[in-house]
Amino acid sequence: MPIKKSLGQHFLVEPYYQRRIVESVAPRADETIIEIGPGQGALTALLVASGARIIAIELDRELIGSLMARFGSRENFRLIAADALTVDFCQEITPAASARVVANLPYYISTPILQRLIKQRRCLSEMTLMLQREVVERIIARPSSKEYGYLSVLVQFYCEAQRLFNVPPGAFRPAPKVDSSVVRLRVRTQPAVAVADEEFFFELVKALFAQRRKTILNNLRVAALRLDLGDEERIRCALASAGLEAQRRAETLSLEEIAPLAAAFTRDS
């Protein structure tokens, strides 16, 4: 079957890593698991064999035919022919109230799918994802590291993130030009920090990280009109109220430091 470069296809063909991923998930017969991008069905076979209810989401029509021929007769397997970016996961898992996710995500679309999964976190308890190693390093990055940024804050706000292991290019066909990593994201019952307005909080985070070389004061000046932050005096007052020096850079700020800053602005509005 021809590889579709337009879909970013890199199939995991090394059995050792296939087993290791599924063993990390440890699927149970009484649960629902969503598999995004089952591809040629390597992980699917192991997941279906566990007895768990498997809902697979695949976009490639040629792969859909082979997946149905292989697993269509299994009572615990259902295939959704769709783009994962358009699927309502919470609706598709009914009657289950919650599910876990397993996915080998195409690199070019991994961040948008990750953002969609987080958006539908009310019905997703855990995600085991294979991503480009660089993306995983950004997800798990801590403040004051060069990888730390908006994606780090977004994921860590809603999830507990743990890198499980790395996967070399040779484990795939065709082999990608970069290393991959498997990461486990456990959805928090409550966000890592309390904020009054999550939408404003993340708009503020985007503004803080807009220009990494600039100070947080300069970045907030640029975003002042768009976010209704007020004049420079108000911005300085908000920074002081949050105990933050105006000359710091966003990459040094923890979630616990950004939350009071958001509160300082929303308190004055």
Side-chain angles (χ1 to χ4, degrees):
M1 186 174 296
I3 301 294
K4 291 185 173 65
K5 291 185 178 180
S6 63
L7 297 180
Q9 291 177 339
H10 295 279
F11 298 120
L12 181 64
V13 296
E14 173 54 58
Y16 168 76
Y17 290 105
Q18 296 167 1
R19 291 193 303 270
R20 194 168 178 189
I21 290 171
V22 175
E23 286 169 1
S24 298
V25 176
R28 304 183 307 272
D30 62 347
E31 70 174 324
T32 297
I33 291 180
I34 299 169
E35 184 186 10
I36 299 175
Q40 297 176 333
L43 296 183
T44 314
L46 298 173
L47 292 169
V48 169
S50 73
R53 176 189 177 217
I54 308 303
I55 300 174
I57 302 170
E58 179 57 61
L59 179 61
D60 187 335
R61 292 195 174 276
E62 292 184 29
L63 291 173
I64 288 168
S66 61
L67 288 165
M68 285 304 296
R70 189 174 176 187
F71 304 110
S73 63
R74 298 294 295 264
E75 291 185 1
N76 63 328
F77 175 81
R78 181 161 71 92
L79 182 63
I80 300 172
D83 184 341
L85 286 173
T86 68
V87 173
D88 184 334
F89 301 111
C90 297
Q91 177 178 317
E92 294 296 346
I93 67 172
T94 305
S98 179
R100 294 194 288 160
V101 175
V102 180
N104 173 15
L105 297 180
Y107 296 150
Y108 78 100
I109 205 170
S110 59
T111 299
I113 291 181
L114 181 56
Q115 291 173 323
R116 183 163 183 82
L117 289 169
I118 288 175
K119 189 174 183 180
Q120 297 195 39
R121 65 193 177 277
R122 70 184 184 279
C123 65
L124 304 176
S125 61
E126 181 182 284
M127 310 162 206
T128 301
L129 311 175
M130 182 147 57
L131 304 163
Q132 184 175 343
R133 184 173 178 174
E134 177 183 320
V135 174
V136 172
E137 287 173 350
R138 288 164 54 200
I139 286 172
I140 65 174
R142 309 308 301 170
S144 298
S145 65
K146 64 179 182 178
E147 293 86 7
Y148 184 73
Y150 175 80
L151 186 62
S152 317
V153 174
L154 173 66
V155 176
Q156 293 174 32
F157 184 85
Y158 292 114
C159 304
E160 296 176 359
Q162 177 189 10
R163 190 211 307 263
L164 299 181
F165 51 89
N166 298 323
V167 183
F172 300 87
R173 293 291 182 273
K177 296 180 180 179
V178 297
D179 288 343
S180 303
S181 291
V182 176
V183 64
R184 176 186 289 137
L185 305 179
R186 286 201 170 106
V187 178
R188 300 179 188 272
T189 54
Q190 296 293 332
V193 291
V195 298
D197 185 337
E198 289 184 13
E199 183 177 353
F200 174 76
F201 175 80
F202 282 107
E203 286 299 319
L204 186 67
V205 172
K206 286 180 184 177
L208 289 167
F209 283 98
Q211 297 290 330
R212 294 180 66 90
R213 292 180 178 272
K214 289 188 175 182
T215 65
I216 55 177
L217 174 60
N218 284 337
N219 275 330
L220 292 176
R221 279 175 180 154
V222 173
L225 183 61
R226 178 172 62 86
L227 298 183
D228 192 25
L229 302 182
D231 57 18
E232 182 172 333
E233 181 180 355
R234 184 188 180 216
I235 293 173
R236 287 185 178 275
C237 286
L239 289 169
S241 174
L244 300 176
E245 296 177 5
Q247 299 308 306
R248 286 179 65 180
R249 288 180 169 78
E251 65 190 39
T252 69
L253 301 178
S254 66
L255 273 73
E256 290 77 11
E257 291 178 304
I258 301 173
L261 178 61
F265 283 117
T266 54
R267 197 164 47 235
D268 292 343
S269 16

